Amino acid sequence: SLDYAFLLTNISSGYSYNATFQIGKQAGAAGNDPATVSDFVRNLGINLAYTYGASYDVNSNPGYIADENYLVPAVDPNNLPLTRSVFDIPHRLVVTASYRLEYLTSDNGSWATTISLFYEGRSGRPFSYVYNGAKNGSDVNGDRMSVYPTDNDLIFVPANRSQVSMSDAGWQAFDAYISKDETLNSNRGKIIERNSAREPWATQVDLQILQDIPTFKGQKLQLSLSVLNLLNFLNGDWGHQQFIQNPGGDFSGQTRYLLVEHNGYEADGRPKLSFTVPQSIFTKDNLLSRWQMQVGVRYTF
């Protein structure tokens, strides 16, 4: 006999949109009156782009098997509300700047050095606050996935002590933590929505240097040096990318953090909770937080 079975169907809910505003100047452009443009401005290229967007769905559908698509943090997994998607990035700013200097001109061409900087800043990924209760057999949202512990039960954020059962020290710590977290504090007295919290703003700065060396008959040798995550190259404490690490063994892509332990209910229906203040809910991405260097050679003929 089957312990549980899944019936997945398509729905029409969900939408996304993006709007981009961009302005820029190409290196070498001198406008309508080149005689009045300085060499510095002529050799400078710059581009600025800002994207505003939103993405809403009931299930970001990151899994490739049925049960992974059922792990959405939810109040009722069989009646999923429309909320922010895992892929929602409301703000993204991209700035590129380059300067090209030509010199030592000959019949075979000019030597040229191009220095470029790339900056990207974007909103962090959304994530959900859920109970740490699967190991205790808790099944707050009734999805019966305690058989296959998933910790996908969205937390209730208490407005006051009377709504939960906790030790004095546990409540004081939990209440103080909620007060310091804008998302949690604004949801007191409610079950928090899926993906209502966010990871920190993500920043990436890269540097590229190109050196063109003319050879003969218009051909050239180009040497390149790229530094990815320039901030971390300059200072080991800069350029770190932080993210929410999902519960061990979960590969669903449904970003969530196990904030407070759920230990069942009192006779009057209050949830029995245990809370320990986390040092940090975010984990450093060891690859993206390290600087990397690339060296290249290209011959054009």
Side-chain angles (χ1 to χ4, degrees):
S1 62
L2 295 176
D3 186 57
Y4 54 85
F6 299 97
L7 174 62
L8 306 179
T9 59
N10 293 323
I11 60 171
S12 58
S13 301
Y15 63 89
S16 64
Y17 62 83
N18 290 281
T20 299
F21 307 89
Q22 182 171 325
I23 187 172
K25 172 196 172 297
Q26 291 183 345
N32 297 325
D33 193 1
T36 63
V37 177
S38 67
D39 289 340
F40 176 80
V41 174
R42 186 192 308 274
N43 296 330
L44 179 66
I46 190 166
N47 187 80
L48 186 149
Y50 168 73
T51 299
Y52 175 78
S55 179
Y56 283 78
D57 60 29
V58 300
N59 184 343
S60 298
N61 194 30
Y64 61 94
I65 55 178
D67 60 354
E68 288 187 353
N69 288 312
Y70 198 64
L71 304 184
V72 184
V75 177
D76 178 1
N78 292 309
N79 187 23
L80 297 173
L82 185 65
T83 61
R84 290 194 181 275
S85 169
V86 169
F87 307 107
D88 180 71
I89 302 178
H91 305 288
R92 182 172 183 258
L93 178 65
V94 175
V95 180
T96 58
S98 63
Y99 188 80
R100 177 179 174 85
L101 180 62
E102 295 186 0
Y103 49 94
L104 299 179
T105 302
S106 68
D107 293 339
N108 293 320
S110 301
W111 288 60
T113 302
T114 304
I115 300 176
S116 302
L117 282 171
F118 169 86
Y119 166 84
E120 179 194 20
R122 59 173 175 79
S123 304
R125 294 183 309 170
F127 70 91
S128 305
Y129 283 114
V130 298
Y131 285 120
N132 180 2
K135 65 182 180 181
N136 301 321
S138 294
D139 185 16
V140 178
N141 65 12
D143 62 3
R144 293 190 65 235
M145 292 301 284
S146 56
V147 178
Y148 173 52
T150 59
D151 293 306
N152 64 339
D153 303 323
L154 293 167
I155 71 168
F156 169 76
V157 186
N160 52 62
R161 172 73 182 273
S162 68
Q163 295 180 327
V164 293
S165 175
M166 303 182 72
S167 67
D168 290 340
W171 166 250
Q172 291 172 4
F174 192 34
D175 183 53
Y177 189 87
I178 293 172
S179 297
K180 294 178 181 179
D181 187 292
E182 181 179 355
T183 301
L184 292 172
N185 200 43
S186 64
N187 281 277
R188 282 186 181 268
K190 298 184 293 184
I191 296 176
I192 199 165
E193 279 193 352
R194 177 180 73 107
N195 294 336
S196 55
R198 282 197 181 275
E199 295 172 343
W201 180 268
T203 298
Q204 178 81 19
V205 179
D206 301 329
L207 168 70
Q208 184 183 64
I209 301 175
L210 300 177
Q211 180 62 57
D212 293 342
I213 304 173
T215 54
F216 57 91
K217 295 183 179 181
Q219 301 178 29
K220 67 178 180 180
L221 175 70
Q222 184 180 78
L223 308 178
S224 65
L225 172 67
S226 299
V227 180
L228 308 180
N229 198 351
L230 178 64
L231 295 179
N232 188 250
F233 177 78
L234 297 175
N235 188 315
D237 294 328
W238 297 349
H240 292 174
Q241 303 283 347
Q242 295 182 306
F243 69 103
I244 287 291
Q245 184 171 1
N246 279 359
D250 171 33
F251 303 100
S252 71
Q254 301 285 357
T255 50
R256 58 194 189 274
Y257 182 75
L258 280 61
L259 181 64
V260 59
E261 187 169 321
H262 192 284
N263 302 297
Y265 297 93
E266 298 287 2
D268 59 5
R270 290 178 301 149
K272 296 189 289 185
L273 306 180
S274 302
F275 178 74
T276 302
V277 180
Q279 291 185 345
S280 175
I281 67 174
F282 302 110
T283 300
K284 183 177 70 173
D285 189 304
N286 287 326
L287 177 60
L288 296 179
S289 298
R290 297 176 184 272
W291 65 268
Q292 302 174 59
M293 185 175 292
Q294 298 176 348
V295 178
V297 178
R298 182 169 67 176
Y299 190 81
T300 305
F301 56 90

